[in-house]
């Protein structure tokens, strides 16, 4: 089965109705970062709706509701969704949605593990930390993981994707049911990405920028494909 056809098969709603596409929420303030996501989605043959976050412009649950998966990325900005945006994402996920989030310093910036992080992203709220800066380290795959096993060595290249060569990602402590998906060179948990499944939804959280994985467009697209395949 071709990758293009496999993705289309994966993005089918219950009852056989065609999927409505990806909701691409750009919280990065960078058209260059956005271009890497748009290119990857186009190469995978996936339609998407672009929403640029910021300047008082935030997506509502109603905006996202007709889409099977939301991709929310902040590039090399040091933040993530606000409290109000978390609430809208929670409503969307409670309705059966799926979320791929890439947001460095999201935990650190909030100063705590919010209920949304714990209940919807699979972050362990009992660890008692507010995010440990990882410095400039890359992501590495985890042996045996179906998403990241093929990428056990460094696949990061900041310059190739127009990011500054600095990273202040959050180390992630997974709760009892979340799955560690990528390792990091962090100072605390050494986990850079986790995925989480609830009865109503699935989510995947990168505590550091996903974009450097697009340094090799084929590698980035393959990883994105596997993420979306699991999410939907």
């Amino acid at each position: 089965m071709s990758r293009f056809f496999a993705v289309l098969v994966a993005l089918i709603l219950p009852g056989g109705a065609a999927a409505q596409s990806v909701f691409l929420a750009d919280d990065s303030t960078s058209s260059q970062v956005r271009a890497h996501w748009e290119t990857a989605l186009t190469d995978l043959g996936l339609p998407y709706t672009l929403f640029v976050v910021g300047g008082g412009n935030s997506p509502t649950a109603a905006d996202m509701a007709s889409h099977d998966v939301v991709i929310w990325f902040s590039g090399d900005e040091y933040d993530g969704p606000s409290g109000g945006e978390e609430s809208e994402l929670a409503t969307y996920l409670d309705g059966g949605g799926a979320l791929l989030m890439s947001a460095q310093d999201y935990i650190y910036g909030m100063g705590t593990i919010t209920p949304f992080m714990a209940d919807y992203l699979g972050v362990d709220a009992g660890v008692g930390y507010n995010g440990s800066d990882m410095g400039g380290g890359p992501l590495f795959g985890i042996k045996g993981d179906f998403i990241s096993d093929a990428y056990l060595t460094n696949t990061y290249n900041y310059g190739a994707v127009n990011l500054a060569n600095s990273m202040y990602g959050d180390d992630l402590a997974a709760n009892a049911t979340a799955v560690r998906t990528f390792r990091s060179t962090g100072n605390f948990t050494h986990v850079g990405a986790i995925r989480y499944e609830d009865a109503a939804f699935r989510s995947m959280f990168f505590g550091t920028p996903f974009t450097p994985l697009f340094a090799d467009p084929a590698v980035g697209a393959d990883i994105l494909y596997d993420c979306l395949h699991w999410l939907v």
Side-chain angles (χ1 to χ4, degrees):
M1 180 185 298
S2 71
R3 178 191 299 157
F4 172 67
F5 183 69
V7 172
L8 292 182
V9 169
L11 291 175
I12 296 294
L13 296 172
Q20 292 296 313
S21 81
V22 173
F23 187 92
L24 187 63
D26 178 4
D27 198 14
S28 73
T29 72
S30 170
S31 60
Q32 292 178 316
V33 170
R34 181 194 313 152
H36 293 290
W37 288 96
E38 292 185 299
T39 297
L41 290 172
T42 299
D43 287 347
L44 290 172
L46 294 177
Y48 61 90
T49 298
L50 175 64
F51 189 103
V52 178
V53 182
N57 195 32
S58 296
T60 66
D63 292 327
M64 299 179 279
S66 63
H67 300 78
D68 287 298
V69 60
V70 169
I71 297 175
W72 187 297
F73 64 95
S74 62
D76 54 1
E77 295 293 308
Y78 303 131
D79 62 11
S82 66
E85 290 163 344
E86 286 183 331
S87 179
E88 295 297 328
L89 284 166
T91 299
Y92 161 74
L93 290 171
D94 285 339
L99 172 65
L100 171 61
M101 180 178 292
S102 167
Q104 70 172 352
D105 259 1
Y106 172 30
I107 297 174
Y108 184 83
M110 285 296 209
T112 187
I113 296 169
T114 67
F116 177 80
M117 297 171 190
D119 297 339
Y120 292 89
L121 299 180
V123 179
D124 188 347
V127 172
Y129 80 111
N130 70 339
S132 176
D133 285 343
M134 296 189 329
L139 292 177
F140 299 90
I142 294 176
K143 191 170 181 61
D145 184 83
F146 84 95
I147 291 176
S148 67
D149 179 76
Y151 307 101
L152 300 179
T153 58
N154 181 12
T155 60
Y156 254 39
N157 185 329
Y158 292 91
V161 294
N162 308 113
L163 293 186
N165 190 17
S166 62
M167 180 172 69
Y168 296 94
D170 292 311
D171 271 0
L172 304 178
N175 70 18
T177 57
V179 177
R180 296 164 180 82
T181 305
F182 275 92
R183 296 181 297 114
S184 72
T185 55
N187 302 314
F188 185 59
T189 66
H190 310 290
V191 176
I194 60 177
R195 60 185 187 269
Y196 178 64
E197 182 174 3
D198 181 83
F201 64 84
R202 289 184 173 187
S203 67
M204 190 172 296
F205 176 31
F206 285 75
T208 188
F210 186 104
T211 316
L213 296 172
F214 292 130
D216 181 329
V219 167
D222 280 344
I223 294 172
L224 179 58
Y225 161 72
D226 286 335
C227 292
L228 294 176
H229 186 76
W230 180 79
L231 283 166
V232 300

